[in-house]
Amino acid sequence: MLRENPDGAPVRIYGTNVDPSAPALAACDVGEVEPHRVGNDVYADFALDFCRRHGVDVLIPPRRLDALAGRAEAFAALGTRLMCSSPGAIGALTSKGRTYEAARAIGVPVPEWRVVSDADGLRAAVEDLSRAGETVCIKPAGEYSAFGFRILDDSPLSMRDLLQPARPLVSVNAVADALKRAADGQEKVPQFIVMPYLDDPEVSVDCLSAPGGRLLAAIPRAKEGRYRLLLDNPAYAEIAERLVGHFRLAYLSNVQLRHRHGRPVLLEANPRPSAGIFQTAFSGVNLPWAAVRLLLAGDPGPLTGLRLGGRVAVTETVTEVTPGAFADAA
């Protein structure tokens, strides 16, 4: 979408990943391995050095935003514009508990939730939330994407379960035991969110907004097997607009919703572009390029003619990777 931008501007893509074999690097003109499991200062120094060495004009970070958000002036001194919201917004949205508290305060529907970090807290949260016959799930409360998500289920497996596609199920006892072993071993235990398992469809709203949080475009999409639906439902965009405005999000962000008793509720809000933003390519608006224009020139370009209500297919393709393409980076 960046290369095939509506302005016909030449674009050169630089990418980094902790895994030298990451397929995403094959799509870049220049790929490099980034440091893994390092502190914010080390990561920020790496990013600054990378942009300096390669003369990067625009940096669009999909992760480690907490390491970079406060360094906009340092990047600007190198000639690099950082596409990122404020450190305050990043800090609030990195914690799902704080996100839910803020969302509830501004009238955005949120599920019930409990924040836990030990075995006793987990058992109490599950007992509390499952009283009404709810299916309960758990996930890390920080920035872990979908990693760590589990549905808590103590019921015995049936033959039907064994013959169906696998689901991310785990027993309450297994999770409680893992938390206790970690605490006994003095491991660092992050906070977890325990909450009801919400209903489909899951809706992801890709947002473009001006600095300060004014929403310029919102594209809701949902999964339907191999297809993605570009939804024409103002209710989803209204929730996204309220959150983007409250947190004063800038440029690209993403709001994820699921449903409870037929109404949309907040799942999470991310101050970064979603991994699935490419699925909006047929909406009539090139969100990534509009964000680049907005960052560099203060003008996103035309945002009219948004096409919603359609369905697109997500297909696989095979790309040849030149042997040794990232030998220098490794």
Side-chain angles (χ1 to χ4, degrees), residues 1-294:
M1 294 172 79
L2 291 170
R3 288 193 179 105
E4 298 176 8
N5 63 79
D7 294 330
V11 174
R12 186 168 173 82
I13 306 292
Y14 298 79
T16 65
N17 198 285
V18 296
D19 180 4
S21 63
L25 293 180
C28 298
D29 298 296
V30 175
E32 188 169 313
V33 178
E34 66 178 42
H36 189 32
R37 293 177 180 169
V38 296
N40 281 353
D41 289 342
V42 173
Y43 188 82
D45 289 343
F46 159 78
L48 286 161
D49 180 64
F50 182 91
C51 291
R52 178 190 57 78
R53 287 187 285 110
H54 295 293
V56 171
D57 297 304
V58 174
L59 174 60
I60 309 175
R63 57 186 299 273
R64 299 300 301 262
L65 274 69
D66 57 336
L68 304 178
R71 307 289 187 111
E73 290 185 3
F75 281 103
L78 302 174
T80 301
R81 300 293 298 274
L82 177 65
M83 186 181 292
C84 193
S85 293
S86 70
I90 303 300
L93 292 175
T94 298
S95 165
K96 293 183 178 66
R98 291 200 300 272
T99 300
Y100 285 166
E101 289 172 359
R104 184 171 60 184
I106 61 172
V108 170
V110 297
E112 286 195 60
W113 81 93
R114 306 289 185 271
V115 178
V116 305
S117 57
D118 58 36
D120 290 341
L122 170 73
R123 294 184 188 281
V126 171
E127 181 180 0
D128 190 21
L129 292 173
S130 60
R131 284 175 181 161
E134 298 275 10
T135 298
V136 179
C137 61
I138 185 171
K139 59 185 177 181
E143 187 185 14
Y144 287 85
S145 188
F147 296 121
F149 169 77
R150 299 290 187 276
I151 298 171
L152 299 174
D153 189 350
D154 286 328
S155 61
L157 287 174
S158 67
M159 185 55 61
R160 180 179 179 181
D161 294 326
L162 293 175
L163 297 176
Q164 288 184 335
R167 301 176 71 204
L169 300 177
V170 68
S171 71
V172 175
N173 284 338
V175 178
D177 289 346
L179 291 172
K180 186 176 185 305
R181 282 194 303 272
D184 291 344
Q186 297 185 329
E187 293 182 47
K188 182 179 179 181
V189 179
Q191 290 186 327
F192 288 84
I193 291 280
V194 180
M195 57 185 283
Y197 182 56
L198 302 172
D199 300 327
D200 288 328
E202 182 169 324
V203 176
S204 184
V205 188
D206 292 300
C207 302
L208 173 70
S209 56
R214 181 169 61 90
L215 188 69
L216 302 176
I219 302 177
R221 51 186 171 82
K223 294 181 180 179
E224 186 182 74
R226 287 270 185 168
Y227 296 98
R228 300 296 183 267
L229 308 179
L230 302 180
L231 302 172
D232 188 8
N233 186 334
Y236 301 135
E238 288 170 5
I239 292 175
E241 183 173 23
R242 194 177 303 179
L243 289 164
V244 167
H246 175 76
F247 290 107
R248 302 176 65 85
L249 299 180
Y251 309 110
L252 296 174
S253 59
N254 177 256
V255 173
Q256 295 180 22
L257 310 167
R258 286 182 76 93
H259 289 75
R260 184 165 171 78
H261 305 312
R263 63 194 289 249
V265 298
L266 178 65
L267 187 61
E268 61 183 53
N270 299 301
R272 54 169 174 75
S274 69
I277 195 171
F278 70 94
Q279 297 166 14
T280 68
F282 296 97
S283 68
V285 172
N286 187 327
L287 285 182
W289 185 249
V292 170
R293 282 190 50 147
L294 181 63

